[in-house]
Amino acid sequence: MIKWWWQLIVVLFLCCSLASADKIILATDYWCPISCEPKSNQEGFMIDIARRVFAKHGHQIEYQVMPWNRTLSMVRSGKIHGAVGPYIEDCPDFIFPENELAMIGFSVYVKSENSWIYSSISSLKEVRLGVAANYSYGQELDLYIEKHKTNRKKLQINYGNLPVENNIKMLLSDRIDAVVATQPVFLHIANKLNVNNQLKSAGIINKPKKAYTRFRSF
């Protein structure tokens, strides 16, 4: 654990303007338990790690929640310093540490009475799928989303800063048939909404892969 903490520090300090910054601004959407409510007792484990690492070197973390597409845009424009939780595919132009902070995969979820099961990307044509804007879900699903992004009968793209929660609510109201999410986040939010017994997994979209806190290049 200490090893990748130090690698994270080294990467950040290679970014010249950040080396002298007292405040480091990180952002992401609500993806609890990875990234939760700012200034709460439980901000999420990736935020906890960042605070602990940079406090040792005199830096404060300002953590903000915003839509994912806005997070990436603001990092690229230099308005904030880093994005919490992305895959390499989300933002390959960013600087990232050698070691990941989590292994994150995606599954597809449906209402408990739905008999549909995910078997391959082609099986998604049978459902109205809910996803989050600008997420990378793996090459195959990313290509599917790009192909159908304007077809609201096949795909609903959520642009808010509560994408999983909003997609669960759409699923429960039958506005979509299935939701793609990472298991810890889905279960946490379903439990918060007290709807665990109304939902179930319908299959794995892709196995866990490395996720990071990443910073803009200069």
Side-chain angles (χ1 to χ4, degrees), residues 81-130:
H81 298 115
V84 178
Y87 287 159
I88 292 174
E89 293 88 344
D90 283 295
C91 40
D93 53 316
F94 287 13
I95 294 173
F96 60 97
E98 180 180 342
N99 289 78
E100 72 281 1
L101 296 186
M103 297 292 292
I104 295 174
F106 287 97
S107 297
V108 60
Y109 296 89
V110 297
K111 291 175 71 173
S112 56
E113 64 269 23
N114 192 335
S115 61
W116 178 82
I117 296 176
Y118 173 81
S119 57
S120 65
I121 291 295
S122 62
S123 68
L124 292 175
K125 65 184 179 181
E126 302 168 12
V127 297
R128 295 167 295 170
L129 187 66

Side-chain angles (χ1 to χ4, degrees), residues 112-167:
S112 56
E113 64 269 23
N114 192 335
S115 61
W116 178 82
I117 296 176
Y118 173 81
S119 57
S120 65
I121 291 295
S122 62
S123 68
L124 292 175
K125 65 184 179 181
E126 302 168 12
V127 297
R128 295 167 295 170
L129 187 66
V131 298
N134 294 100
Y135 274 32
S136 175
Y137 293 103
Q139 184 177 15
E140 283 192 309
L141 184 51
D142 289 350
L143 289 172
Y144 179 89
I145 291 169
E146 179 64 25
K147 180 179 179 180
H148 298 290
K149 63 184 179 182
T150 59
N151 186 344
R152 295 178 67 85
K153 292 183 178 179
K154 288 186 177 292
L155 197 67
Q156 293 286 334
I157 302 176
N158 193 288
Y159 288 85
N161 59 359
L162 299 169
V164 178
E165 181 170 332
N166 290 339
N167 280 332

